[in-house]
Amino acid sequence: MSTVSWITVRGLFGRRRFLLLLPLPVVLVLLAVLSRSLGVDPGQWGPPVLVGLGLAVVLPVVALIVGTGVLGAEIDDGTVVHILTKPLPRWQIVLPKLAVATGVTAVTVAVPLYVAGVLADSARLGLALAAASAVGALAYSALFVALSMLTRRPVLLGLVYVLIWEGLLGNVVSGTKVLSIQQYVIALADRMAPTGLLEAGVSVPVAAVMAALISAGFTVLAIDRLRSFSVAGETS
């Protein structure tokens, strides 16, 4: 693990915001266990729990908390200066932080999604949800890390994207789904484990290409943005 990665992990787990990661995954598993134990038809509880809660809330919210914290928090409190003074190319700062954000988000979300998927259908669905959520973790993390570099209100803008664009407009205007990371995850998971519990709004090729473009594009944007930061931690 690189020095930047270690500093990022230590800082992330040392902040109280890390505690915000725990409740939602726990609620997801508890709802799945409760529904299964009560004998409720998976066709009734599967979509609202797996998609409505797991992919529409747990995944993006965890990614938002982590993604805006790995670099944005350091900018806010001024500790980013210690990193900026080191003779490191900016990509060697952004990529390790993005890797940490993606890894923490993927592990935090994939485990409860796997458990819920197994309870709802099969181990295959659980693995598909876990794998697809890892792809979503990368795309969301790249987006939110970049937002933390572009604005002082990354959490607010991230919530607007998740709640308004993906949540509200995504259910009303079909054309918005092509720019929805949530839809990419659903499409990929449904391709790996076809089931009536998941209903994709975009094709698999679109999901794969757009997820890659968003991940790469916002990573490049974050690197470019960090280059404009002075040692004082402000954009030049």
Side-chain angles (χ1 to χ4, degrees), residues 169-179 201-202:
L169 294 180
N171 293 323
V172 178
V173 184
S174 60
T176 61
K177 293 181 179 180
V178 74
L179 294 177
V202 297

Side-chain angles (χ1 to χ4, degrees), residues 14 67 72 89 94 96 111 114 136 140 206 214:
V94 173
V111 173
Y114 171 78
Y140 276 123
V206 169
I214 287 177

